[in-house]
Amino acid sequence: MKRNYKLLLLVLLLAFASCSFTSKKFEDPNKDKLIIQLVTYLLDQTHFNPQDVNDDFSKEMFDEYLEQLDPLKRYFYASDIEEFEQYKTDLDDQIKAYDLTFFNLTYERYVQRLTESKGIYKEVLQNSFDFSIDEDFSTKYEDLTYVNSKKELKERWRHQLKFSTIANYDDLIAQQEREIKNASESDSDNNKEIENSEKVVPVKKSLAELEGEARETTLKSLNELYEYMEDRQRKDLLSVYVNAFVREYDPHTAYYEPEDKERFDTHISGKFEGIGARLQKKMDVITIMEVIAGGPAWRQKELEVGDQILKVKQEDEEEPLNVVGMRTSDAVKFIKGPKGTDVTLTVKKVDGSIQDIIITRDVVEMGEAYAKSSTVIKDGKKYGIIDLPGFYVDFNDVNNRNAASDVKIEIERLKAEGMEGLVLDLRNNGGGSLQTVVDMAGFFIKEGPVVQVKTSGEPKEVLMDRDRSIVWDGPLVILVNEFSASASEIMAAAMQDYKRAIIIGSDQTFGKGTVQTVVDLNRMVRNNSSGDVGALKMTIQKFYRINGGSNQLEGVKSDVIIPNRYSYIDIGEKNEENPLPWSQIEPAEYDVWDSYFDYDNTIAKSKERMANNEQLKLIDQNAQWVKKIRDRELFSLNYTDYKASLDVSEKEAKRFEELSKYQTNLTFDSLSQELKLMEQDSVLKEKRERWHTSLSKDVYIEEALNVLNDLKMTYGIKAKVATSVKN
């Protein structure tokens, strides 16, 4: 298959980075400058839409960077901004010269102002808030101006903290009222058995006491936030600066610090090597927030949520390393490690005891990141549901499990159980591997194009399914929503263009029609003595439907539109900063699937059902209400008015309580293979039971099954098809 010039150049750059292929040298001993040099070179050479880095670009970058540093305008003074603005049109020149003068200035000032603000918020929260005063708070932070004095800054903090505290204050009042009511009802029930002298009556706190507790809650939250912010190092703020630069190219181009790259790899593959626990730093101590089901720590059964990690020792070390006070990202480096190695954690248990726990590291699979399936009976027919949260793949080992191989396995298991129609649920699926979606689309068609990709200034490339075997040739429905993006949109668009599936869901999908690649910047550096310099994810291509249209901005339009709670909220690529424009190219050659004889009639019948569905009418009303709530920008800080507004909202919300009570008459079951696993795995059983309960309340799944029931085939579904290829 023909490869275009820019992709070939990128491959050669990576392959020969340490040879004499290019005279361009990446050897700057200053790590920060080296990162700028690498990023700017790659963007200029290989980005789909290279930018003219000029004064206008500089202004946009300047504004974006400061927005990221101080979005609430509660750190910097107007005098700081005035000093910064002398560089507003110079950032383009500094980037080209790898000059960090502006970054150094803003970094040092940010650290200074952050330290000062900590004293300000603590001082503000020492004094009571008067919730009887008439004043309002606006959440339209972009309209704020920078303050001119410490007095003004303190007043801004007071205003913002009062807004946070009034919510805590209302929660505490409501909690106290519930406790008193519950105690009263309990006393009434037990009145005949308990003497009055033995009754436990909650002590009613004064409003002043509750106000004080509300401020304490606000203080605790801010202290935890600042603990994270103060842990940020210079390299973290440099990442913010570099990303302010690269995001001017498009919203999906990003610079990754080493830790960010590792998180990206885990997200895209759905797995990592370690102990299987989520960690968070609390009051200087690394704390266990979750033990991942099925992981090494979960199997070992000693590590628990709430345990605090004090020390870490590797299997080849004599003395443990103290991790108290260490940044979470740094501590994780010592806790994670290769499969099969032991790590000893010295932990403080919830009961205060100190214990050494030895855990053998292993591959940890994020179970809910993988495909799962279920069966359901409707009108005497058995249908299959496959939930696919992402198009995952292990880029480090393509032979490992991926979304396509997993979906194929699930389809074959469903066929073995007598499936007569399939629902592929791509709701909230943000995408993933391009090759994986091409492979998966081939499961449902005989052969032909799946998607077209194009690099700027180069001929298009058509990615094909060349395998004539079909894994599933029966009725197919695909569910999507506003968060179905990228690879999900490729799948939905291809099946729609072939008329192979009926697409049900939101008005349109996310609208991401671009392809990214991730480049390990370390491979570009000769004689690297600077340590890990991270990675760059950048947009290198746009993809197009086989009909020549683009998913960019427009997304995939559903055949049957079903409202959801996000229907009136601005979500999607077109609401991102600096998206690439929509465009179209020549269509590819393909033959429409001709095995449905009532495709259009089925869509018409579904639309008619949706128009008369009372549950969907209520969902639409709820979506309009959600938008109204989200669009609100002005809030009263007078508690009487604040509470009255909340009461109105709660009264309106009661109209929608019926949504959660909706119940179909459908029963969902796990496949026989999974039932055997559930006999040994109670966590898996609990997860599947929750999923099945959710499916039984899902009006979108219900309609998808109605559509499957309506679709008529021109031939009977084949029980078995060739599966020797398409692995």
Side-chain angles (χ1 to χ4, degrees), residues 275-276 291-300 362-365:
I275 66 169
V291 177
I292 298 172
W298 180 82
R299 295 195 299 268
Q300 201 260 2
D362 202 347
V363 174
V364 180
E365 294 188 341

Side-chain angles (χ1 to χ4, degrees), residues 50-67:
Q51 297 292 299
D52 185 4
V53 182
N54 54 24
D55 287 356
D56 289 335
F57 184 102
S58 179
K59 292 174 186 176
E60 294 290 336
M61 176 184 168
F62 178 91
D63 291 338
E64 171 66 18
Y65 176 55
L66 292 185
E67 168 70 17

Side-chain angles (χ1 to χ4, degrees), residues 333-350:
K333 295 175 184 176
F334 298 103
I335 297 169
K336 293 175 72 173
K339 171 184 176 180
T341 59
D342 288 342
V343 61
T344 301
L345 306 180
T346 301
V347 304
K348 183 177 182 180
K349 305 294 286 183
V350 178

Side-chain angles (χ1 to χ4, degrees), residues 451-664:
V451 64
Q452 305 184 90
V453 294
K454 195 174 187 304
T455 301
S456 181
E458 299 295 326
K460 71 178 184 181
E461 180 182 350
V462 182
L463 304 187
M464 306 281 291
D465 167 46
R466 300 184 183 279
D467 181 355
R468 293 180 59 83
S469 67
I470 303 176
V471 179
W472 175 246
D473 63 346
L476 177 64
V477 167
I478 295 179
L479 287 177
V480 296
N481 64 7
E482 294 90 344
F483 299 102
S484 303
S486 196
S488 291
E489 296 175 287
I490 291 175
M491 171 64 82
M495 296 301 101
Q496 189 177 59
D497 288 346
Y498 275 108
K499 285 197 170 185
R500 176 63 184 90
I502 290 178
I503 313 301
I504 298 178
S506 54
D507 176 49
Q508 71 163 72
T509 52
F510 189 86
K512 178 180 178 290
T514 55
V515 181
Q516 285 73 41
T517 189
V518 179
V519 180
D520 182 350
L521 298 181
N522 298 286
R523 297 177 62 187
M524 303 286 292
V525 184
R526 297 184 178 93
N527 305 316
N528 185 9
S529 60
S530 300
D532 198 329
V533 291
L536 180 67
K537 175 165 73 81
M538 60 180 170
T539 299
I540 57 171
Q541 293 173 316
K542 289 176 78 172
F543 66 77
Y544 296 84
R545 301 172 67 133
I546 56 176
N547 69 5
S550 173
N551 292 336
Q552 181 65 10
L553 304 182
E554 298 298 320
V556 178
K557 310 292 187 184
S558 295
D559 296 313
V560 179
I561 298 172
I562 303 182
N564 63 51
R565 66 182 308 178
Y566 304 109
S567 294
Y568 297 94
I569 296 174
D570 294 333
I571 294 172
E573 184 87 357
K574 58 190 175 186
N575 298 296
E576 299 283 335
E577 295 290 331
N578 308 311
L580 296 185
W582 181 90
S583 57
Q584 61 183 347
I585 60 175
E586 289 295 315
E589 294 184 7
Y590 64 99
D591 295 322
V592 172
W593 180 266
D594 59 2
S595 297
Y596 299 128
F597 65 73
D598 63 347
Y599 181 89
D600 294 328
N601 186 46
T602 297
I603 292 174
K605 288 167 67 176
S606 179
K607 288 180 177 179
E608 183 178 353
R609 273 194 302 269
M610 297 300 92
N612 297 315
N613 188 305
E614 294 301 320
Q615 176 77 352
L616 293 180
K617 291 178 182 178
L618 189 59
I619 288 173
D620 188 68
Q621 293 170 18
N622 178 245
Q624 294 181 50
W625 178 74
V626 168
K627 176 172 174 54
K628 174 184 172 184
I629 295 298
R630 285 176 59 100
D631 287 349
R632 185 180 175 188
E633 297 174 342
L634 197 65
F635 298 85
S636 175
L637 297 181
N638 175 297
Y639 184 68
T640 301
D641 294 340
Y642 179 88
K643 179 61 176 173
S645 178
L646 279 183
D647 290 342
V648 170
S649 294
E650 289 176 7
K651 184 177 180 180
E652 291 179 345
K654 288 186 180 297
R655 295 168 48 210
F656 307 113
E657 289 180 352
E658 292 301 315
L659 290 175
S660 61
K661 298 177 183 177
Y662 186 76
Q663 183 71 48
T664 69

Side-chain angles (χ1 to χ4, degrees), residues 64-65 72 104 339 360 383 389 436 473 709:
E64 171 66 18
Y65 176 55
L72 306 185
N104 291 334
K339 171 184 176 180
T360 301
Y383 296 113
T436 300
D473 63 346
N709 218 26

Side-chain angles (χ1 to χ4, degrees), residues 226-243:
Y226 268 64
E227 186 175 7
Y228 161 75
M229 294 175 71
E230 290 173 336
D231 260 355
R232 298 171 84 187
Q233 299 175 347
R234 175 188 168 88
K235 66 184 182 68
D236 300 311
L237 272 297
L238 179 69
S239 177
V240 175
Y241 180 70
V242 174
N243 275 305

